[in-house]
């Protein structure tokens, strides 16, 4: 009964493939975020959404796209995966910008 | 980069000792948060301190904020093996940008 869930938890894919990572939340929060984590670089913000009609690019949005299908669902797509997109991807939610964020368990993506 | 930087990058202490880690940032902030991450798992929020606050406590955690030096510290007292994790600071700056630091890896030896 996790509040923020991510699917899949692990994915191995090949260069050039289209990949979608999904995030669902039961916290009722309007704000949702996608981050990637690389060793030694901390978390970097890819995209964030304030509500279903408001989507914004983060620090590193190139090569990624997102879709906010509903308040509870926020998907991240890699249209044509490349090896340097191999990373740990996290979804998070918050009540308001700058407030405590609640993280999902992460998706480990490997692009060969 | 606008990220905060934690110091040290890695810290190893004996159980029962105190652990102190620091975060420095570059621009004026609205608030600063500390998160914990157990290996390969999602981050868990620990504490939020606003720019007009200087110190905050939560259980065995003590956070200080010095906006004049653009720095914060996280003190974990009486450490336990279960405190072994990576710790990240995150800043919301006055330009409404939000950044995580690079983290401190803490190992508490039983």
């Amino acid at each position: 009964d996790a509040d923020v869930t991510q699917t899949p938890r692990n994915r191995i894919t090949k260069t050039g493939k289209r990949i979608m990572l999904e995030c669902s939340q039961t916290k009722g929060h309007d704000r949702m975020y996608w981050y990637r984590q690389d060793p030694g670089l901390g978390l970097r913000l890819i995209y964030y959404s304030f509500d279903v009609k408001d989507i914004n690019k983060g620090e590193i949005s190139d090569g990624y796209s997102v879709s906010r299908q509903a308040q509870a669902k926020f998907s991240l797509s890699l249209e044509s995966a490349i090896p340097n997109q191999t990373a740990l991807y996290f979804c998070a939610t918050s009540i308001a910008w700058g407030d405590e964020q609640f993280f999902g368990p992460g998706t480990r993506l490997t692009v060969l | 980069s606008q990220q905060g930087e934690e110091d040290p990058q890695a810290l190893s202490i004996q159980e029962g000792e105190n652990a102190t880690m620091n975060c420095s940032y570059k621009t004026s902030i609205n608030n600063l948060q500390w998160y914990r991450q157990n290996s390969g798992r999602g981050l868990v929020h620990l504490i939020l301190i606003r720019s007009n606050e200087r110190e905050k406590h939560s259980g065995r955690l003590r956070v200080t904020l010095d906006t004049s030096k653009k720095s914060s510290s996280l003190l974990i007292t009486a450490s336990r093996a279960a405190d072994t994790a990576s710790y990240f600071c995150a800043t919301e700056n006055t330009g409404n940008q939000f950044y995580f630091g690079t983290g401190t890896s803490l190992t508490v030896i039983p």
Side-chain angles (χ1 to χ4, degrees):
Chain A
D1 57 347
D3 294 321
V4 184
T5 57
Q6 294 183 232
T7 56
R9 295 294 311 280
N10 290 282
R11 181 71 183 269
I12 300 174
T13 191
K14 296 182 178 179
T15 297
K17 294 292 188 181
R18 184 179 187 273
I19 297 295
M20 179 180 286
L21 310 182
E22 298 186 339
C23 176
S24 294
Q25 53 114 345
T26 60
K27 300 193 75 65
H29 292 169
D30 285 330
R31 274 71 171 169
M32 297 188 74
Y33 311 83
W34 275 106
Y35 293 93
R36 66 175 280 174
Q37 184 177 31
D38 299 275
L41 294 180
L43 276 74
R44 291 182 290 169
L45 184 61
I46 305 172
Y47 271 95
Y48 59 100
S49 170
F50 286 164
D51 62 38
V52 294
K53 297 180 181 178
D54 187 354
I55 294 177
N56 304 275
K57 293 183 177 180
E59 186 182 353
I60 52 162
S61 59
D62 287 349
Y64 301 94
S65 63
V66 290
S67 173
R68 184 82 183 266
Q69 299 97 324
Q71 187 203 39
K73 296 184 181 297
F74 193 35
S75 300
L76 176 72
S77 294
L78 288 68
E79 295 300 325
S80 180
I82 56 176
N84 76 0
Q85 292 177 313
T86 293
L88 191 53
Y89 289 84
F90 289 103
C91 173
T93 74
S94 69
I95 294 174
W97 181 257
D99 278 358
E100 171 185 359
Q101 292 188 25
F102 296 84
F103 282 79
T107 294
R108 188 170 296 279
L109 177 66
T110 303
V111 183
L112 302 176
Chain B
S1 170
Q2 299 290 321
Q3 282 184 332
E5 292 187 0
E6 283 91 339
D7 170 58
Q9 289 187 330
L11 179 61
S12 184
I13 60 174
Q14 295 289 328
E15 199 165 32
E17 294 180 338
N18 295 341
T20 299
M21 54 205 84
N22 304 294
C23 170
S24 60
Y25 54 91
K26 297 181 180 179
T27 61
S28 296
I29 61 171
N30 293 324
N31 67 56
L32 183 146
Q33 301 177 45
W34 285 91
Y35 288 81
R36 185 186 72 212
Q37 182 184 33
N38 290 91
S39 181
R41 304 185 71 172
L43 279 71
V44 175
H45 183 264
L46 296 176
I47 201 163
L48 181 154
I49 187 165
R50 301 198 183 279
S51 61
N52 62 352
E53 297 176 307
R54 291 297 168 260
E55 187 170 315
K56 212 164 182 180
H57 297 255
S58 177
R60 293 184 295 113
L61 306 181
R62 173 177 169 252
V63 169
T64 62
L65 178 64
D66 188 336
T67 53
S68 67
K69 295 181 178 178
K70 293 186 171 58
S71 67
S72 174
S73 66
L74 170 67
L75 168 68
I76 304 173
T77 59
S79 64
R80 306 167 180 166
D83 294 329
T84 294
S86 292
Y87 292 82
F88 295 87
C89 67
T91 55
E92 183 208 350
N93 67 25
T94 53
N96 290 323
Q97 296 167 311
F98 191 78
Y99 293 101
F100 278 85
T102 52
T104 291
S105 176
L106 173 65
T107 301
V108 181
I109 302 167

PDB file of all heavy atoms in Angstrom, chain B residues 1-12:
ATOM      1  N   SER B   1      26.611  24.665 -12.071  1.00  0.00           N
ATOM      2  CA  SER B   1      25.492  23.973 -11.446  1.00  0.00           C
ATOM      3  C   SER B   1      25.035  24.733 -10.204  1.00  0.00           C
ATOM      4  O   SER B   1      25.840  25.334  -9.500  1.00  0.00           O
ATOM      5  CB  SER B   1      25.920  22.561 -11.053  1.00  0.00           C
ATOM      6  OG  SER B   1      24.927  21.968 -10.246  1.00  0.00           O
ATOM      7  N   GLN B   2      23.728  24.705  -9.933  1.00  0.00           N
ATOM      8  CA  GLN B   2      23.208  25.357  -8.747  1.00  0.00           C
ATOM      9  C   GLN B   2      23.088  24.396  -7.580  1.00  0.00           C
ATOM     10  O   GLN B   2      22.556  24.745  -6.547  1.00  0.00           O
ATOM     11  CB  GLN B   2      21.814  25.919  -9.061  1.00  0.00           C
ATOM     12  CG  GLN B   2      21.814  26.958 -10.166  1.00  0.00           C
ATOM     13  CD  GLN B   2      22.480  28.238  -9.702  1.00  0.00           C
ATOM     14  OE1 GLN B   2      22.300  28.650  -8.582  1.00  0.00           O
ATOM     15  NE2 GLN B   2      23.270  28.847 -10.559  1.00  0.00           N
ATOM     16  N   GLN B   3      23.564  23.186  -7.729  1.00  0.00           N
ATOM     17  CA  GLN B   3      23.397  22.191  -6.679  1.00  0.00           C
ATOM     18  C   GLN B   3      24.118  22.569  -5.403  1.00  0.00           C
ATOM     19  O   GLN B   3      25.128  23.243  -5.406  1.00  0.00           O
ATOM     20  CB  GLN B   3      23.976  20.854  -7.151  1.00  0.00           C
ATOM     21  CG  GLN B   3      23.106  20.091  -8.105  1.00  0.00           C
ATOM     22  CD  GLN B   3      23.705  18.746  -8.455  1.00  0.00           C
ATOM     23  OE1 GLN B   3      24.903  18.559  -8.427  1.00  0.00           O
ATOM     24  NE2 GLN B   3      22.868  17.789  -8.789  1.00  0.00           N
ATOM     25  N   GLY B   4      23.566  22.053  -4.325  1.00  0.00           N
ATOM     26  CA  GLY B   4      24.293  22.108  -3.075  1.00  0.00           C
ATOM     27  C   GLY B   4      25.363  21.042  -3.098  1.00  0.00           C
ATOM     28  O   GLY B   4      25.292  20.084  -3.853  1.00  0.00           O
ATOM     29  N   GLU B   5      26.339  21.236  -2.276  1.00  0.00           N
ATOM     30  CA  GLU B   5      27.404  20.244  -2.169  1.00  0.00           C
ATOM     31  C   GLU B   5      27.527  19.813  -0.724  1.00  0.00           C
ATOM     32  O   GLU B   5      27.633  20.645   0.182  1.00  0.00           O
ATOM     33  CB  GLU B   5      28.732  20.814  -2.654  1.00  0.00           C
ATOM     34  CG  GLU B   5      28.757  21.086  -4.141  1.00  0.00           C
ATOM     35  CD  GLU B   5      30.133  21.482  -4.631  1.00  0.00           C
ATOM     36  OE1 GLU B   5      31.062  21.539  -3.804  1.00  0.00           O
ATOM     37  OE2 GLU B   5      30.275  21.742  -5.827  1.00  0.00           O
ATOM     38  N   GLU B   6      27.499  18.498  -0.521  1.00  0.00           N
ATOM     39  CA  GLU B   6      27.662  17.979   0.826  1.00  0.00           C
ATOM     40  C   GLU B   6      29.133  17.686   1.108  1.00  0.00           C
ATOM     41  O   GLU B   6      29.894  17.328   0.215  1.00  0.00           O
ATOM     42  CB  GLU B   6      26.840  16.689   1.025  1.00  0.00           C
ATOM     43  CG  GLU B   6      25.360  16.931   1.233  1.00  0.00           C
ATOM     44  CD  GLU B   6      24.597  16.920  -0.054  1.00  0.00           C
ATOM     45  OE1 GLU B   6      25.219  17.114  -1.115  1.00  0.00           O
ATOM     46  OE2 GLU B   6      23.383  16.712  -0.037  1.00  0.00           O
ATOM     47  N   ASP B   7      29.436  17.792   2.359  1.00  0.00           N
ATOM     48  CA  ASP B   7      30.807  17.545   2.811  1.00  0.00           C
ATOM     49  C   ASP B   7      30.727  16.873   4.177  1.00  0.00           C
ATOM     50  O   ASP B   7      29.981  17.365   5.047  1.00  0.00           O
ATOM     51  CB  ASP B   7      31.560  18.870   2.887  1.00  0.00           C
ATOM     52  CG  ASP B   7      32.901  18.733   3.585  1.00  0.00           C
ATOM     53  OD1 ASP B   7      33.719  17.927   3.096  1.00  0.00           O
ATOM     54  OD2 ASP B   7      33.117  19.403   4.614  1.00  0.00           O
ATOM     55  N   PRO B   8      31.407  15.757   4.418  1.00  0.00           N
ATOM     56  CA  PRO B   8      32.269  15.070   3.460  1.00  0.00           C
ATOM     57  C   PRO B   8      31.466  14.233   2.473  1.00  0.00           C
ATOM     58  O   PRO B   8      30.274  14.045   2.649  1.00  0.00           O
ATOM     59  CB  PRO B   8      33.121  14.180   4.372  1.00  0.00           C
ATOM     60  CG  PRO B   8      32.196  13.846   5.499  1.00  0.00           C
ATOM     61  CD  PRO B   8      31.374  15.077   5.729  1.00  0.00           C
ATOM     62  N   GLN B   9      32.102  13.701   1.460  1.00  0.00           N
ATOM     63  CA  GLN B   9      31.425  12.804   0.533  1.00  0.00           C
ATOM     64  C   GLN B   9      31.128  11.475   1.192  1.00  0.00           C
ATOM     65  O   GLN B   9      30.122  10.823   0.892  1.00  0.00           O
ATOM     66  CB  GLN B   9      32.279  12.576  -0.719  1.00  0.00           C
ATOM     67  CG  GLN B   9      32.368  13.788  -1.614  1.00  0.00           C
ATOM     68  CD  GLN B   9      33.086  13.467  -2.919  1.00  0.00           C
ATOM     69  OE1 GLN B   9      33.951  12.600  -2.959  1.00  0.00           O
ATOM     70  NE2 GLN B   9      32.708  14.151  -3.977  1.00  0.00           N
ATOM     71  N   ALA B  10      32.024  11.061   2.099  1.00  0.00           N
ATOM     72  CA  ALA B  10      31.827   9.798   2.807  1.00  0.00           C
ATOM     73  C   ALA B  10      32.298   9.947   4.244  1.00  0.00           C
ATOM     74  O   ALA B  10      33.257  10.677   4.521  1.00  0.00           O
ATOM     75  CB  ALA B  10      32.581   8.663   2.115  1.00  0.00           C
ATOM     76  N   LEU B  11      31.613   9.268   5.148  1.00  0.00           N
ATOM     77  CA  LEU B  11      31.900   9.373   6.577  1.00  0.00           C
ATOM     78  C   LEU B  11      31.681   8.014   7.215  1.00  0.00           C
ATOM     79  O   LEU B  11      30.632   7.384   6.990  1.00  0.00           O
ATOM     80  CB  LEU B  11      30.966  10.412   7.202  1.00  0.00           C
ATOM     81  CG  LEU B  11      31.045  10.692   8.686  1.00  0.00           C
ATOM     82  CD1 LEU B  11      32.439  11.207   9.050  1.00  0.00           C
ATOM     83  CD2 LEU B  11      29.974  11.704   9.086  1.00  0.00           C
ATOM     84  N   SER B  12      32.647   7.580   7.995  1.00  0.00           N
ATOM     85  CA  SER B  12      32.538   6.299   8.666  1.00  0.00           C
ATOM     86  C   SER B  12      32.770   6.507  10.161  1.00  0.00           C
ATOM     87  O   SER B  12      33.799   7.076  10.543  1.00  0.00           O
ATOM     88  CB  SER B  12      33.567   5.322   8.103  1.00  0.00           C
ATOM     89  OG  SER B  12      33.421   4.040   8.684  1.00  0.00           O
TER      90      SER B  12
END
